[in-house]
């Protein structure tokens, strides 16, 4: 009888515990926080496989890919995030950051503007949009965005304003 109970206990344990999408996501975050981008990508992918509409998993997988300079992969994941949740301001800022690295400054301006319409206190978007305006030779808007970012506490905008708004 003891062997039969032990068998059922092992069977229930083996098949009864299955990791959830959230479990994989948490493991991905742990690996990401430890600097293991490749490991975090694997865990976020498992989370997405379990829960295909897991927007945070797509965004964080995109951020991990960005850290590995996989710009196309990062862009695809952030685009999927925005498809799932078009009101996620940070996803627009992240896509703007990717597009800045791809030298697509007009897209950066568009994404930062959208992010700011959702979260007007996003100094990162102001600063990034200012840098893009600068690249597009629009000094007036660049300096206005640096000033807005400074009012919100951005230290890098202070340096950018000193450098580009003479």
């Amino acid at each position: 009888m003891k062997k039969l109970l032990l068998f059922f206990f092992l069977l229930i344990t083996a098949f009864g515990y299955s990791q959830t999408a959230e479990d994989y996501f948490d493991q991905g975050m742990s690996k990401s926080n430890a600097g293991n981008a490749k490991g975090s990508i694997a865990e976020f992918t498992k989370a997405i496989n379990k829960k295909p509409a897991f927007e945070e998993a797509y965004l964080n997988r995109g951020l991990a890919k960005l850290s590995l300079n996989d710009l196309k992969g990062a862009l695809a994941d952030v685009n999927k995030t925005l498809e799932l949740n078009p009101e996620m301001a940070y996803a627009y800022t992240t896509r703007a950051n990717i597009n800045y690295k791809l030298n697509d400054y007009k897209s950066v301006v568009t994404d930062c503007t959208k992010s700011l319409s959702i979260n007007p206190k996003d100094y990162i978007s102001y600063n990034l949009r200012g840098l893009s305006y600068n690249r597009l030779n629009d000094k007036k808007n660049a300096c206005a965005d640096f000033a807005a970012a400074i009012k919100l506490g951005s230290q890098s905008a202070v340096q950018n304003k000193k450098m580009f708004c003479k």
Side-chain angles (χ1 to χ4, degrees), residues 15-16 19 54 74 116:
F15 292 105
Q19 286 190 305
F54 200 162
L116 290 165

Side-chain angles (χ1 to χ4, degrees), residues 146-162:
F146 294 143
I150 291 166
K151 284 182 184 176
L152 294 169
S154 173
Q155 294 304 307
S156 57
V158 172
Q159 297 303 315
N160 289 333
K161 189 172 181 191
K162 284 180 187 176

Side-chain angles (χ1 to χ4, degrees), residues 49-61:
N49 289 339
K50 286 264 187 184
K51 185 177 172 183
F54 200 162
E55 62 202 46
E56 293 88 355
Y58 279 104
L59 181 60
N60 282 283
R61 187 174 73 175

